[in-house]
Amino acid sequence: MSEASPDRPREHREAAALLADAAARARAGAGGVVLLRGATGTGRTTVLEAAAESAAAHGMRVLRARCAPGDAAAPFAAVLQLLCRLPGFEQADEVLHGGERETGAELRQLLRGYADETPLLLAVDDVHLADAPSCRWLVETARHVDLLAMPVLLAVTERSQYDIDPPAPGFSHTLSPALVHTHTLPPLTTGSATALVRAEFPHSSGPWVADCVRAGAGSPLLLRALLDDLGGSAPRQAVPETSAALYPGEYPAAVSWWLDSAGPGTAEVARALAALDEGWERRGALHDPTAEHLGALLAELSGADPARVAGWLTAMTGLGLLRPDADGRPRYAHPLLRDAVLTGVPVARRRAAHRAAAKAMLHRGAPTETVARHLLLSDPADGPWAASVLQDAASLALRDGRNDDAVAYLRRALDEPLPGERRQRLLTELGSLEVTGRRSSAGIPRLTEALRLPGTPQDRVRAAMALGTALAGRGRPRAAIEVLRTVDEELAGRTDPGDRLDLAGTLQSASALLSDQDQTVRQEVYRRISDTAGHAPELVGPATRALLVRYAASAGLTSADEAMQQVRALLAEPANALTEPFLVGTAAAVAQWADELDEAERLVERGLAGQRPGLLHPMHQALLNTRADIAAARGEYGRLPAEPPLLPETGPSNEHAHTLIALVESGRTAEARRLADGFDLHEAPDNWELNRFLYARGVQRAADGDPAGALHDFLECGRRQSARDVVSPVVTPWRTAAAECRLALGDPHQALALAEEELRLARVWGTPRLVGRALRALGIVTGGRRGLELAEESVRLLRDAPALTERELVAALIAQGRQLTAAGEGGRARECLREAAERAERLGALRLRTLAEDALREGGARRPALVRTGSGSLTGSELRIAQLAADGRTNTEIAGLLHLARRTVETHLTSAYKKLGIRRRGELREALEVG
């Protein structure tokens, strides 16, 4: 291979040219010395071997010596390698018995004799490993080569790399710079490394090639070893990140050789850095040690000189083995390189390194998660500090919504020695997170273990509620109630009377809430609570009384005004920290039913803010369900997800029910049908969420033209609700829906009975929304003049109600319009129906708008000329999104605020631009103001 060979990296060509020129001068009789320096793996040996081959091809006699660490004990070992193959040298052994000076002179004289016959190339590789007499002989020979003008080229390679342990003086230390031509091999540039990879794998993708280049770290040795390992298979999508994935293992062997060449001090620092780098792979490394402090930390972990460590980091970054990350911190150029550095290090030693790193970082005031990430990779520490760090890190991860990280921290904390009460609390939190994540079956066993361990009464109650919540969520409400009852009995007589009342009230409230998952269990629990309230009211706290108010509301036994007065009074009473979530959450549900939506929303947010992150609580999901109920009551279908939620194995949820109705109202009929048919309700748990979904599926079937199927769903929902003592339409207005289906199927008598009962119950609760809806349904099934009067009463009531009844008002206007058409009052009918169509258009209620337009056509009117331009033409969702965009919000921010997919925001904005007659975002504000 010539010095200009295109297969040779550009970084080697300059060195090859220097050696070729020096060889040519030697052949012409002018000897010289070339010192080729470079870090381990930069290709010194490769260049020297190529120069030797070239010299031999040009008629020079090549004498080689490759020095090794074991040569140091044998005087003149390197010189003997050089001269041993010369003819007649076997008799020269006698000269080695003299002194070093005499021996050196005789060997040099012998060399001169052969140089007189033919030009010589003395190729000495790794001269820094030569024995001392050989090294001195070579230095002296370098002087004689120049002084005597012998036709000899002395080409020497020497490792030149910054190591933790300072190196001995180099080969040229005592030679004049004018005497030696020195060349330092640089690391491969990205371009050179890319060319080498492309030569081996010409059809590889750009990212794969870049991955190889990074793993090669500027070293020809490492890059060629990696390509050898990858050569037996087609290029993969990415270079492996572990040495175990490579075969035959040339790459890790090359890294090991690099470490051995660097010496024990450098190897120790390199491995310490690899251990730290391994910890940085975990999320949240923003506050790991900076480049400024990293050297000091590595020095502490390895026992090295901090100044030498800082210099080593700079040198390795310059060579390409380390690369600064976004925070300027030097890290290994590729995870595979880091893993190879750690290959061969016993697991126990690696884990000990991470423990030492964690402790050192803690003492230096490093952020909690920085310390915790290293504890994840370590064995148990020597003291209670590790468990505290891990639990604190879990809390931080939960605050940021990183539940998987929190689980990892808590699982690791369990390995630490912990007192019983602290372990009990940790198991409760970890079990709660594992149940919530649903990717582990360990959650319920952990919570069961937590309940068996000693703990304070408050902690035992928390563990019982967490386990009960988990069991109820798995369709085992009776087992959940039994857990709560057992703990209640255990605490009886063992706690202070004041605390006992709060603890018992908490367990009562939790039992009532969890019993909603089963109608039989619910009846039993509420019967027991009601009996207690009757004969010992002092044992029933505010939270439990609030649940009794909620029960009375759903049973049709109280009005909205009375219920709100009661819950507001209960909220004003002092509340215990354990019972307050039940009180606030229950009050939020009652306020939502009472159409006090702003108050309900404030209570939901207060309740969620008071929840302990990561701890299963019966009220948490209830609060989220109330939040969804509030959005549905407001008709905020713009918050509908871009895609319906996934179908879980546990059956339909409250979210599925709301989404299904929203899909129907928004005109997304095909999606609504798929969601409605996506569950096998025969296999679904017998809980309140199934009842809610049955009602929603009935709405979908009715809108899809299947009144018989819809009636079945409405009646089944009603049967199940009534069995739970839930008869008020405040929860699900199934009777009005069933009445309309009965009428459509030709059964006006049954329809009338359903509608009359619905109106009676609606008047008990007394909110305009409920009463207006019931009046509309009764008017439809009654018909005639009386039916028209009921429809008109419904419209009047809803017109005077808050804006949140807008959708019910649209439905009432449509009913009134149809009644007026039937009564022959076409003019008034068209006014009602046009108003209904315009209101539906503004709300984005496509189904209601279509019903209004159909009723107009049936009455002989043309399709209404709805406002299609200006801000008045925007649907509610379009207007809300346009206003946020006009205020400077980005699409991503709007999506986050409204819980929408970004694609949905973009679709609404595109529609708004068309209706407003504008082309760009900057015109929104003016267009909305003008409109």
Side-chain angles (χ1 to χ4, degrees), residues 459-537:
D459 285 335
R460 289 188 55 73
V461 167
R462 291 188 181 97
M465 289 194 298
L467 179 56
T469 304
L471 291 169
R474 296 293 191 271
R476 299 168 60 191
R478 188 170 292 281
I481 302 306
E482 182 63 22
V483 166
L484 298 172
R485 185 191 62 78
T486 300
V487 172
D488 188 29
E489 291 176 353
E490 289 176 358
L491 295 177
R494 294 169 52 189
T495 54
D496 178 85
D499 291 340
R500 168 68 186 145
L501 182 61
D502 289 331
L503 296 174
T506 301
L507 293 167
Q508 279 180 347
S509 301
S511 297
L513 206 60
L514 295 178
S515 71
D516 279 344
Q517 301 297 321
D518 182 276
Q519 65 183 39
T520 304
V521 175
R522 184 177 190 270
Q523 288 175 330
E524 293 172 2
V525 169
Y526 273 99
R527 188 180 303 115
R528 188 161 55 245
I529 292 175
S530 297
D531 290 345
T532 302
H535 71 265

Side-chain angles (χ1 to χ4, degrees), residues 218-231:
S219 166
L221 170 75
L222 297 185
L223 183 57
R224 291 192 184 280
L226 175 63
L227 296 179
D228 285 345
D229 283 342
L230 298 175

Side-chain angles (χ1 to χ4, degrees), residues 470-712:
L471 291 169
R474 296 293 191 271
R476 299 168 60 191
R478 188 170 292 281
I481 302 306
E482 182 63 22
V483 166
L484 298 172
R485 185 191 62 78
T486 300
V487 172
D488 188 29
E489 291 176 353
E490 289 176 358
L491 295 177
R494 294 169 52 189
T495 54
D496 178 85
D499 291 340
R500 168 68 186 145
L501 182 61
D502 289 331
L503 296 174
T506 301
L507 293 167
Q508 279 180 347
S509 301
S511 297
L513 206 60
L514 295 178
S515 71
D516 279 344
Q517 301 297 321
D518 182 276
Q519 65 183 39
T520 304
V521 175
R522 184 177 190 270
Q523 288 175 330
E524 293 172 2
V525 169
Y526 273 99
R527 188 180 303 115
R528 188 161 55 245
I529 292 175
S530 297
D531 290 345
T532 302
H535 71 265
E538 70 280 1
L539 299 179
V540 180
T544 308
R545 295 205 298 275
L547 283 162
L548 291 173
V549 172
R550 191 190 71 156
Y551 180 89
S554 64
L557 302 176
T558 187
S559 70
D561 288 342
E562 292 168 347
M564 287 304 299
Q565 286 178 7
Q566 289 175 297
V567 297
R568 284 169 178 153
L570 292 170
L571 285 168
E573 294 184 21
N576 176 271
L578 282 172
T579 60
E580 184 177 24
F582 295 101
L583 174 59
V584 172
T586 304
V590 173
Q592 183 267 313
W593 288 346
D595 287 342
E596 300 286 351
L597 300 190
D598 290 342
E599 185 171 354
E601 196 161 43
R602 286 193 297 271
L603 289 168
V604 165
E605 298 311 315
R606 173 181 161 187
L608 290 173
Q611 294 276 302
R612 287 180 57 179
L615 196 62
L616 269 181
H617 194 285
M619 186 50 75
H620 181 75
Q621 187 58 47
L623 286 164
L624 296 180
N625 282 323
T626 301
R627 176 190 276 173
D629 294 345
I630 292 167
R634 286 183 168 142
E636 293 178 340
Y637 299 148
R639 296 178 67 174
L640 179 69
E643 298 292 338
L646 296 176
L647 308 183
E649 297 178 0
T650 53
S653 66
N654 187 49
E655 180 188 10
H656 290 107
H658 285 313
T659 299
L660 181 53
I661 292 176
L663 288 170
V664 171
E665 296 297 333
S666 302
R668 292 161 63 176
T669 55
E671 293 172 82
R673 193 178 302 117
R674 283 196 297 271
L675 179 57
D677 296 340
F679 290 100
D680 181 1
L681 299 190
H682 296 291
E683 301 295 327
D686 181 18
N687 57 27
W688 68 271
E689 291 183 288
L690 172 60
N691 303 343
R692 183 72 60 88
F693 190 78
L694 278 167
Y695 173 79
R697 192 175 73 171
V699 171
Q700 181 271 325
R701 286 178 165 179
D704 217 25
D706 180 15
L711 179 62
H712 172 273

Side-chain angles (χ1 to χ4, degrees), residues 45 64 83 133 146 168 242 246 283 326 392 414 485 497 522 524 588 617-618 627 690 723 746 774 801 836 847 894:
T45 300
R64 291 183 175 88
L83 305 180
D146 181 69
T242 62
L246 294 177
R283 197 178 341 184
D392 290 345
L414 278 179
R485 185 191 62 78
R522 184 177 190 270
E524 293 172 2
H617 194 285
R627 176 190 276 173
L690 172 60
R847 185 185 70 86
I894 296 170

Side-chain angles (χ1 to χ4, degrees), residues 272-317:
L273 176 61
L276 291 174
D277 198 333
E278 190 177 33
W280 296 335
E281 283 298 290
R282 297 185 172 270
R283 197 178 341 184
L286 295 177
H287 301 292
D288 279 317
T290 62
E292 179 184 356
H293 297 109
L294 179 58
L297 178 59
L298 285 171
E300 181 177 343
L301 294 175
S302 61
D305 179 355
R308 298 295 299 177
V309 172
W312 182 83
L313 291 171
T314 301
M316 293 303 101
T317 302

